[in-house]
Structure formats: C-alpha cells, structure tokens
Amino acid sequence: HKKCCENKVAIVIADVSGKGIPAALFMMRGKAIIKEKIIYSKTLSDVFYEANNLLYENNKENLFITCFLAVIDLNSGKMEYINAGHNKLVVIRDGKAFELDSKTNFVLGGIEDFNYESEEFMLNQNDKLFFYTDGVTEAQDIDGNLFGIERLLSSLTEYANLSPELIVSSISSDLDKYSDVQFDDITMIVFEYSNVALISSENPSTKGLITVTEKISEHIKKNKLSDELNAKISIIIDELYSNKVKYGFKGINHPLIIVKGKYEDKENRYILTFIDNDLEFNPLKNVKEPTMSDNLDDFEEGGLGLFIVNSFATNIKYLRMEEQNILIIEKDLNEMGEKK
C-alpha cells in the first residue's frame, strides 16, 4: 500500500498467470506501471485502462495479471475500488466477515482497450479489509479438498477482533495446519479503518524521527489523551527509531520504518506499532533490567531503550512477517488513571 495523495491511501494486490522468470518479469513490469498510473492518472478506471494496454503490448507469452485496487479516503471512509479478475475483497464488520460484491472486470494484459468500471463502498470505524491471492482459498489438504472461501470467512469471523498483524499470522497458521504442501504463492493484506495515525519513513533520519513524533503527538492530542501519555510515547518512538537508525539496516538498500498509533476508546488503550524492513531481530530477547551498579557501556546495542519500552507497556509482542519486524506495544490507559 502507499499514500497516494493527502489523506488517501491506495492498496493494491495482484497475481500473475504462469510461473518462472517470464511471469516474474511480467509482474515486475505490471507493478511499476500500476504504481506510476496511480500517481498520474485522473481516475481508477484510467489507471487500469492505461496499465492494461501497456501490458498487452508485446505480450508474446500471453500472460495476464489479476488485480484489486482500492483507494481509501482516511477522513470520510469512502473507498473507491476496482477489480480486474481478482478475488473479491473480504470486509470484517461488527465481528462478521463477508465478501464485498464487485464487478469482475477483465484481467490486465488480456485484451486491448477494455473499459474498467470502479465502484464505491463506505467504511465504518473499525472495519477491516482482507485482501488475498487465490493461494489462500486454493490450499489443499491431503485428500485434495480446497481450503475454500467459506472456511476463510469462518476463520476471519473468529479472528475479527484481532489486530491486522495477528489476523494474517492466524490465517497463515490455519493454512499451515490444513495443507502440508504450498502449491501457489500466498499473499495477504489486512487494512483496518479506525482511529489511527500511520506514518511511513523512508530512508530514516533525524528529520524523519521528528515528523513521526509530531504526527503521533497530534493523534494523541486529537483524542484528548494526557500530556503524560504523549511524553512517554514520544520517548518510546525516540528510543526505537534512533536505535534502528544507529544499529540497524546493515546491507538494506531501501530502509523503511512505519509507525502506527491507534486509540481504542472501548478498551481505553493506546497501541503503538513499530514496523521495519530490517533483518530479523527480536528486541524482546534478553531485555536486561538496569541496576545502580551497572555501567551503561555494558548494555547491548539499544538495550537500555528497550528496557524503557518494556517497562512502559501493558502488553508487548514481536512478530516477523513478510520480511518485516513488527513490534506491538499496548498501554492500558486505566493504569495511568486516564478515564474514557
């Protein structure tokens, strides 16, 4: 996904026909074209019309791409979407998962000058969107039975109240238990429309840290939470971000940090999620509590900052998914005397 313009986010999921190097190259070309067209085309229909014609040119292998594109207005909740032969989007609302009806336009790269139609859907607060490739529903058990859409909807309903990260990991676990052999590539994206601040920081730097801290601070103030929480969250962001910039990203060509702040008013808790594309590193291993006699130089890289983070959190989890490190820090605001 990417921020396509002010207060809007674009989410794209796609799958390519065929296997091997030709298919991989075709998908790479398709990804680059769609990314460019999202920025410069006037409408979603134009995005797919132009992308389709470019992919159709010189398509000697007769490959094609299925694709689902959604653009979400983060202020209003209005989602405009368009489906080019892909699986239907699954919406999780009020504890139940269902498929979103959509016109299934033709695939990309198949025929020239196809006119694609977009549609609209209004999101409610706390709705979750589940995007996936057919490797999920077409996973097979030992007898050749498919995992299927009904089983997927049932599982997503069961996991409806989990965070997006945990929904993906839970479905992955279900698929591992169901099928011993993976026959097709599997991709899953979960997007939650809620009271969230989301900031991406490419090539992280001191300037990026300031921007992230300011945006999260604005989000905390917007929800009328305390200055004490604001100060502690700022310290945590400073520690995690600075540690990653100072010690991490060795050999990573395009370093990225994503910070998400979310206030859940029903549970009266604040959740800070810190995501990066560095090599696998679980910061929760061997977190040492400092004593008066400790020499600060004896702490491992970033160790003291991680102790500060750990001591603040009510719950803290680490996940490694899609070649990303994900640290989820939850704070029960009742512990700080903050009322709903």
Side-chain angles (χ1 to χ4, degrees):
H1 76 275
K2 69 187 297 293
K3 200 79 170 286
C4 58
C5 53
E6 190 64 28
N7 296 319
K8 290 186 178 181
V9 63
I11 304 173
V12 184
I13 191 163
D15 203 2
V16 65
S17 64
K19 303 289 183 183
I21 293 176
L25 293 175
F26 194 73
M27 178 60 97
M28 288 175 62
R29 183 164 171 249
K31 178 181 178 182
I33 290 171
I34 293 169
K35 183 176 181 180
E36 178 187 2
K37 295 305 176 183
I38 289 173
I39 297 172
Y40 296 109
S41 298
K42 291 182 179 180
T43 67
L44 292 198
S45 296
D46 288 343
V47 171
F48 273 17
Y49 180 86
E50 294 166 13
N52 173 64
N53 281 349
L54 287 170
L55 288 168
Y56 180 80
E57 292 177 2
N58 301 315
N59 183 10
K60 297 177 182 178
E61 290 84 7
N62 293 318
L63 297 168
F64 62 84
I65 291 174
T66 68
C67 187
F68 193 105
L69 165 62
V71 175
I72 300 164
D73 187 317
L74 299 177
N75 287 335
S76 68
K78 185 176 82 170
M79 176 178 72
E80 185 180 3
Y81 64 96
I82 190 165
N83 186 356
H86 200 76
N87 308 305
K88 290 183 178 180
L89 177 66
V90 176
V91 178
I92 305 173
R93 172 177 287 178
D94 297 330
K96 185 172 179 59
F98 61 90
E99 285 188 291
L100 179 64
D101 286 336
S102 61
K103 300 171 184 175
T104 305
N105 297 282
F106 204 71
V107 296
L108 300 177
I111 57 176
E112 195 173 14
D113 293 332
F114 186 88
N115 291 312
Y116 293 84
E117 296 183 59
S118 67
E119 300 171 83
E120 294 182 356
F121 181 75
M122 286 302 299
L123 297 175
N124 294 339
Q125 279 289 324
N126 301 316
D127 279 354
K128 297 184 181 79
L129 306 176
F130 183 82
F131 303 77
Y132 68 100
T133 55
D134 59 13
V136 174
T137 48
E138 293 180 3
Q140 298 181 21
D141 65 12
I142 193 170
D143 297 318
N145 299 308
L146 300 180
F147 189 80
I149 184 61
E150 293 303 324
R151 197 185 310 271
L152 175 62
L153 293 176
S154 177
S155 293
L156 289 172
T157 296
E158 180 183 351
Y159 305 138
N161 294 322
L162 298 181
S163 69
E165 297 85 3
L166 290 177
I167 289 175
V168 171
S169 63
S170 297
I171 296 295
S172 294
S173 178
D174 286 352
L175 292 173
D176 288 340
K177 293 173 184 176
Y178 188 81
S179 180
D180 291 333
V181 180
Q182 183 176 325
F183 292 100
D184 198 1
D185 293 334
I186 291 174
T187 301
M188 294 178 278
I189 302 171
V190 179
F191 174 85
E192 182 174 13
Y193 179 69
S194 59
N195 191 353
V196 167
L198 182 67
I199 310 100
S200 296
S201 183
E202 299 180 11
N203 297 313
S205 62
T206 302
K207 183 178 179 181
L209 171 58
I210 293 171
T211 300
V212 169
T213 305
E214 287 178 347
K215 293 293 185 182
I216 296 296
S217 179
E218 288 172 8
H219 183 251
I220 291 172
K221 290 176 181 177
K222 176 184 174 182
N223 285 283
K224 299 180 180 179
L225 301 175
S226 71
D227 291 340
E228 180 187 0
L229 177 68
N230 204 340
K232 289 184 176 179
I233 291 292
S234 294
I235 291 171
I236 288 173
I237 293 172
D238 193 324
E239 291 292 341
L240 293 175
Y241 194 106
S242 299
N243 284 344
K244 184 56 65 174
V245 171
K246 186 175 181 180
Y247 303 117
F249 297 122
K250 301 296 189 291
I252 303 298
N253 292 327
H254 302 288
L256 173 69
I257 292 175
I258 299 173
V259 180
K260 181 172 74 173
K262 178 184 178 184
Y263 173 55
E264 295 185 343
D265 55 348
K266 288 183 180 180
E267 292 77 11
N268 198 29
R269 65 184 175 187
Y270 198 84
I271 302 175
L272 187 72
T273 304
F274 195 91
I275 305 169
D276 66 72
N277 65 341
D278 198 3
L279 300 176
E280 184 171 358
F281 174 68
N282 182 353
L284 303 183
K285 285 186 176 180
N286 304 319
V287 177
K288 179 184 176 183
E289 182 173 355
T291 65
M292 293 298 291
S293 60
D294 279 330
N295 184 335
L296 295 184
D297 292 334
D298 293 335
F299 276 82
E300 295 183 8
E301 295 179 350
L304 187 58
L306 292 171
F307 170 75
I308 294 172
V309 174
N310 206 40
S311 61
F312 166 80
T314 304
N315 293 301
I316 186 166
K317 305 169 189 171
Y318 168 80
L319 301 171
R320 177 70 180 180
M321 292 169 45
E322 303 292 332
E323 298 184 351
Q324 293 181 325
N325 297 302
I326 303 172
L327 191 65
I328 306 170
I329 303 159
E330 298 181 3
K331 182 62 179 179
D332 183 345
L333 301 185
N334 295 305
E335 296 176 357
M336 301 177 64
E338 296 206 25
K339 304 298 182 183
K340 296 182 183 180

